[in-house]
Amino acid sequence: MNSLTKSERLHSYGAIRRLFNEGRSGFVYPFRFVYYTEQSTSPEVALLFSTPKKFHKRANKRNTLRRRMREVYRLNKSLIYNTLGDNRIEIALVYSSKTIHDYQTIEHAIKKVLEQISAEL
C-alpha cells in the first residue's frame, strides 16, 4: 500500500487538461491544488506533482521538491483512500513558493490538502 505505482500518476494529456479546466482548486501554503472527481466502478487516485521552472530555475532543486512531495504522499495516501468510496479522484499538486521548505513543512501542507479533499467527498 505504501508504493506509488505508474497507475497512480496522472500522465495523460487529456486527463490533465480536464483536471485544470473542470476541477476544483484550493491553496494550502506552499501548494496550489486542483482536484477532479467522478463516479467510477473501480475507485482510484491519480496524482500530478509539479514544481514550476518560474520559481526554481535549477533542475536539481525542482527534482528535490518533487521527490519530497511524492514521498509525503506515498506515506500518507491512506488519508484519501479511506474516504474514496466509488470515486475516481485526480489531483494536481503545484509547489507555489520561491523558497525550498523542509520535509516537515511539506508533509504538514500535503496532509492538510488530503484532509480538505477527503472532507469534500
Side-chain angles (χ1 to χ4, degrees):
M1 179 81 179
N2 277 345
S3 62
L4 189 60
T5 61
K6 172 118 175 157
S7 64
E8 290 181 286
R9 296 186 189 205
L10 190 62
H11 54 275
S12 164
Y13 178 74
I16 293 170
R17 185 177 355 169
R18 181 182 63 217
L19 171 65
F20 282 101
N21 287 338
E22 301 173 17
R24 302 176 71 185
S25 64
F27 186 80
V28 173
Y29 184 80
F31 294 104
R32 176 178 176 263
F33 64 94
V34 181
Y35 67 98
Y36 176 77
T37 61
E38 63 184 2
Q39 292 292 329
S40 176
T41 57
S42 62
E44 54 186 41
V45 178
L47 266 90
L48 169 75
F49 301 98
S50 176
T51 306
K53 194 173 183 180
K54 175 181 179 181
F55 296 137
H56 302 283
K57 304 295 183 196
R58 303 288 305 244
N60 61 342
K61 292 179 182 179
R62 292 194 305 273
N63 291 338
T64 300
L65 290 169
R66 278 195 300 269
R67 268 190 219 110
R68 288 180 185 170
M69 291 162 58
R70 283 194 302 264
E71 181 68 9
V72 168
Y73 172 74
R74 187 184 69 80
L75 295 174
N76 296 293
K77 67 182 178 179
S78 62
L79 294 173
I80 196 88
Y81 273 94
N82 292 339
T83 60
L84 199 54
D86 289 338
N87 295 320
R88 173 179 165 73
I89 302 175
E90 297 169 349
I91 304 171
L93 290 172
V94 181
Y95 192 88
S96 301
S97 174
K98 290 186 177 184
T99 59
I100 297 176
H101 293 288
D102 60 345
Y103 181 86
Q104 287 79 18
T105 306
I106 293 172
E107 181 179 29
H108 180 70
I110 290 182
K111 280 183 179 179
K112 284 183 76 172
V113 168
L114 294 177
E115 289 169 357
Q116 281 185 13
I117 292 172
S118 63
E120 293 189 22
L121 292 177

